Structure formats: structure tokens, C-alpha cells
């Protein structure tokens, strides 16, 4: 995983993949019987058809299939464009069909999963509200901070947003901060980049005056969960998102955040928040309350735990029923 999203390293990627397949196969052969249920997150292995998943099914263990991206679509990064065909996105439907329960992160993914399985539940992405908390903004900076945090893969959305970012910096004088695992490609746009780490993410986001989540309106983006927005909201940071996908499930426009479409929408919304500190505070705290009520790890973890228990209990009842039938058949044969 350390080299997966980097350019080159083909030999390391191939050898690492072979080791990963061997490790997964060993798990299935030697450890599977110890457990009541198998959780597959996205895939048992990143590439290839669903052979490992089908092996779990044949072994008789109930499967919970969980995914939070539109992995049924072919989507690759520039670093792995030539290897994209190995992803076999069609296996997502196959794993849905063989699963006892499918758990997805939003309504767009649920719509796809329900075409292949009747037992589909939505458990949205969640945030640790003890880790991400509202803080009083530092007064050491004089310009409002417009912030973005995320991974190198989703950073392509931010880079495609460069023309609007340029206008925001030029017209509104904001300080743009990017917190990610690689420097952004934003030529000629003044910005501050800080390397992402789990230990600093909460404190970095706490310094934002406004959090942004720009996205294109395409199929892959519609399948994305609103994790970035939820992190801002949990931190009490007023949040502006593109009016796409799961953002619509999370954001109540003008109440706990803002949904925007055009460049002028972005500029006008940022300008309104900059000029009104009470609006920033009100929307930020409303976002915090929304996360506490619906998107905290406590709330979502509890729902997921209940679903797991239901699958395990149903599996145990089937096993008891099968055992009883075998004993009855044996007695009748005697």
C-alpha cells in the first residue's frame, strides 16, 4: 500500500500483490472456521475476479459486504492507469449477490446494491466526535483560512477546482491551506501545504475558518461518501460542498452547511461567511450537532453492530435447524 498510488514501482506492486493473494488465501484456508461471520470491505483482494470471495461463500460462512465508493465502476488513478483492467469492477455485483448482507455508505450505492441483493442497509461514514471537536480559532492569522483535507486520490478534485480557487484567493484574499499526503498541483495559486498525518489532522482542521469539498458531478463522485464534510462539521467548521451525491444527504443548505453549483455560488458563499462571524458560528455548530446526532462513530457503530448480530444470530438458527433435521433424518432411517 505504501507504493500503490505512486508512479512506477511496477515490480514492487506485482510482488506485493502476489504476497497479498497468498496471505488472503492462507487466511481463508486456516482461520475461517474460527469466526461466525466474514466482513469483506470493498474486496478480499484489490485486483482480479471474486475468486477469494466465492471461496468464503463455499466454505459456508455468512458474508457481510461493505463498500463506500462506486467500486462497480472502473476508476483508476494516473499512477495505475495501465493496470486499471485488473480491477474487475463487475465483481462488485457478484459479491453483492453472494452476500448475506450488503452495507453501503450512501443512497447512490444502495440503489446499485439493491439490484443484486434484497438485504441492503445504509450505514454512513462516521466521525469520532471525541477526536474532532470545535475549538476557538487562532487569532494569529489575519486572513480567513479556507481549508481542504484529504488523500492524494481525492486531491485531483481540488486541483481541477484551481480556477475557482484562484478567484477566491484573488478576490477575497483568503489563505488557502491544503492538508494531504502530497503537495497539490496548484501552480500560481498561493497556498500553504502541510503533510497529512492522523496525529495532526484534527488540529489542522480546527484552524480552518471555512472547509471546502469541491467535486465534479459524475458517476464516481456521486458514489463518494461525505467524509470530508463530516470532518469539518464535527470540528464546528462551516462547510461548503458541491451539490453532488452524499453531500445532499448530509447538508441542509443554509442550516448546517452549504451546497453550491457554480463558480459564482462558491465565491458568493465564501464571501458571505467571511463577512459574518455569527453566520460562521451558527452554521458551524449546527453542523457539529448534525454529526453528533447522525454521523458519529457511536451512532453508526451501534447500527453496524446490530446488523452484525442479526446476521450471526440468523446463521446460528440455520445451523441449529440443519443439525436438528439431520438428527431427525437419522432417527427415521434407523
Amino acid at each position: 500500500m505504501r507504493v500503490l498510488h505512486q508512479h512506477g514501482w511496477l515490480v514492487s506492486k506485482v510482488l506485493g500483490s502476489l504476497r497479498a493473494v497468498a496471505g488472503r488465501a492462507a487466511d481463508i484456508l486456516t482461520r475461517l472456521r474460527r469466526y461466525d461471520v466474514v466482513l469483506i470491505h470493498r474486496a478480499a483482494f484489490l485486483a482480479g475476479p471474486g475468486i477469494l470471495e466465492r471461496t468464503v461463500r463455499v466454505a459456508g460462512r455468512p458474508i457481510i459486504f461493505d463498500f463506500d465508493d462506486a467500486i462497480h465502476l472502473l476508476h483508476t488513478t494516473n499512477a495505475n492507469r495501465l493496470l486499471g483492467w485488473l480491477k474487475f469492477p463487475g465483481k462488485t455485483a457478484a459479491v453483492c449477490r453472494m452476500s448475506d448482507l450488503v452495507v453501503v455508505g450512501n443512497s447512490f450505492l444502495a440503489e446499485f446494491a439493491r439490484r443484486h441483493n434484497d438485504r441492503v442497509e445504509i450505514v454512513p461514514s462516521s466521525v469520532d466526535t471525541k477526536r474532532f471537536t470545535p475549538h476557538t480559532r487562532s487569532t494569529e492569522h489575519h486572513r480567513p483560512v479556507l481549508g481542504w483535507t484529504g488523500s492524494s486520490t481525492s486531491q485531483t478534485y481540488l486541483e481541477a477546482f484551481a480556477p475557482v480557487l484562484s478567484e477566491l484567493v484573488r478576490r477575497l484574499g483568503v489563505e488557502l491551506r491544503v492538508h494531504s499526503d502530497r503537495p497539490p498541483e496548484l501552480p500560481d495559486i498561493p497556498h500553504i501545504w502541510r503533510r497529512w498525518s492522523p496525529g495532526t489532522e484534527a488540529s489542522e482542521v480546527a484552524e480552518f475558518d471555512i472547509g471546502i469539498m469541491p467535486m465534479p458531478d459524475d458517476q464516481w463522485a456521486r458514489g463518494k461518501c461525505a467524509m470530508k464534510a463530516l470532518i469539518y462539521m464535527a470540528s464546528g467548521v462551516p462547510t461548503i460542498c458541491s451539490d453532488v451525491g452524499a453531500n445532499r444527504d448530509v447538508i441542509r443548505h443554509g442550516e448546517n452547511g452549504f451546497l453550491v453549483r457554480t463558480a459564482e455560488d462558491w465565491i458568493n458563499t465564501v464571501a458571505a461567511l467571511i463577512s459574518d462571524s455569527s453566520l460562521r458560528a451558527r452554521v458551524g455548530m449546527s453542523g457539529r450537532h448534525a454529526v453528533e446526532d447522525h454521523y458519529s462513530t457511536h451512532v453508526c457503530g451501534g447500527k453496524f453492530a446490530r446488523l452484525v448480530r442479526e446476521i450471526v444470530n440468523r446463521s446460528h438458527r440455520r445451523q441449529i435447524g440443519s443439525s436438528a433435521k439431520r438428527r431427525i433424518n437419522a432417527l427415521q432411517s434407523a
Side-chain angles (χ1 to χ4, degrees), residues 138-194:
S138 171
T139 58
E140 64 184 36
H141 58 79
H142 301 287
R143 293 189 296 160
V145 174
L146 193 68
W148 185 94
T149 186
S151 67
S152 58
T153 52
S154 61
Q155 191 166 281
T156 55
Y157 293 160
L158 183 73
E159 292 161 346
F161 193 59
V164 179
L165 292 175
S166 179
E167 285 296 294
L168 289 169
V169 172
R170 184 182 66 83
R171 290 168 57 173
L172 301 179
V174 297
E175 177 183 295
L176 177 62
R177 290 192 192 176
V178 180
H179 185 234
S180 65
D181 56 355
R182 67 168 172 83
E185 296 177 12
L186 296 172
D188 303 322
I189 299 178
H191 65 275
I192 295 173
W193 173 72
R194 292 175 178 166

Side-chain angles (χ1 to χ4, degrees), residues 106-167:
N106 59 54
S107 55
F108 178 83
L109 301 177
E111 182 182 352
F112 165 80
R114 287 179 179 132
R115 295 202 293 266
H116 306 284
N117 193 315
D118 294 331
R119 188 76 169 91
V120 177
E121 295 284 347
I122 297 175
V123 179
S125 296
S126 61
V127 178
D128 183 349
T129 50
K130 294 182 179 178
R131 179 181 169 213
F132 292 93
T133 58
H135 293 281
T136 302
R137 301 288 177 267
S138 171
T139 58
E140 64 184 36
H141 58 79
H142 301 287
R143 293 189 296 160
V145 174
L146 193 68
W148 185 94
T149 186
S151 67
S152 58
T153 52
S154 61
Q155 191 166 281
T156 55
Y157 293 160
L158 183 73
E159 292 161 346
F161 193 59
V164 179
L165 292 175
S166 179
E167 285 296 294

Side-chain angles (χ1 to χ4, degrees), residues 14-46:
V14 171
L15 293 178
S17 296
L18 292 174
R19 285 195 298 269
V21 169
R24 279 286 185 261
D27 283 341
I28 293 170
L29 292 173
T30 63
R31 301 175 60 201
L32 198 62
R33 294 187 180 278
R34 304 179 196 174
Y35 301 100
D36 297 297
V37 64
V38 174
L39 170 67
I40 297 174
H41 177 61
R42 297 174 70 100
F45 181 62
L46 293 176

Side-chain angles (χ1 to χ4, degrees), residues 120-292:
V120 177
E121 295 284 347
I122 297 175
V123 179
S125 296
S126 61
V127 178
D128 183 349
T129 50
K130 294 182 179 178
R131 179 181 169 213
F132 292 93
T133 58
H135 293 281
T136 302
R137 301 288 177 267
S138 171
T139 58
E140 64 184 36
H141 58 79
H142 301 287
R143 293 189 296 160
V145 174
L146 193 68
W148 185 94
T149 186
S151 67
S152 58
T153 52
S154 61
Q155 191 166 281
T156 55
Y157 293 160
L158 183 73
E159 292 161 346
F161 193 59
V164 179
L165 292 175
S166 179
E167 285 296 294
L168 289 169
V169 172
R170 184 182 66 83
R171 290 168 57 173
L172 301 179
V174 297
E175 177 183 295
L176 177 62
R177 290 192 192 176
V178 180
H179 185 234
S180 65
D181 56 355
R182 67 168 172 83
E185 296 177 12
L186 296 172
D188 303 322
I189 299 178
H191 65 275
I192 295 173
W193 173 72
R194 292 175 178 166
R195 184 173 294 280
W196 184 93
S197 78
T200 62
E201 185 176 30
S203 60
E204 291 287 348
V205 172
E207 285 293 313
F208 296 170
D209 290 300
I210 301 168
I212 60 171
M213 186 177 178
M215 300 169 65
D217 190 3
D218 58 30
Q219 290 289 95
W220 181 259
R222 290 170 198 161
K224 299 290 288 183
C225 292
M227 188 66 183
K228 210 179 310 297
L230 294 171
I231 287 174
Y232 303 147
M233 293 164 70
S235 304
V237 175
T239 302
I240 309 175
C241 298
S242 294
D243 188 9
V244 175
N247 296 344
R248 296 171 179 168
D249 299 333
V250 171
I251 299 290
R252 299 190 305 275
H253 180 70
E255 296 181 30
N256 63 6
F258 298 91
L259 296 171
V260 294
R261 287 183 173 273
T262 67
E264 283 304 309
D265 288 342
W266 278 98
I267 293 168
N268 292 337
T269 305
V270 171
L273 285 167
I274 288 174
S275 64
D276 191 342
S277 60
S278 63
L279 176 63
R280 294 199 303 272
R282 176 177 62 79
V283 173
M285 289 313 298
S286 180
R288 168 71 185 186
H289 295 324
V291 173
E292 289 176 330

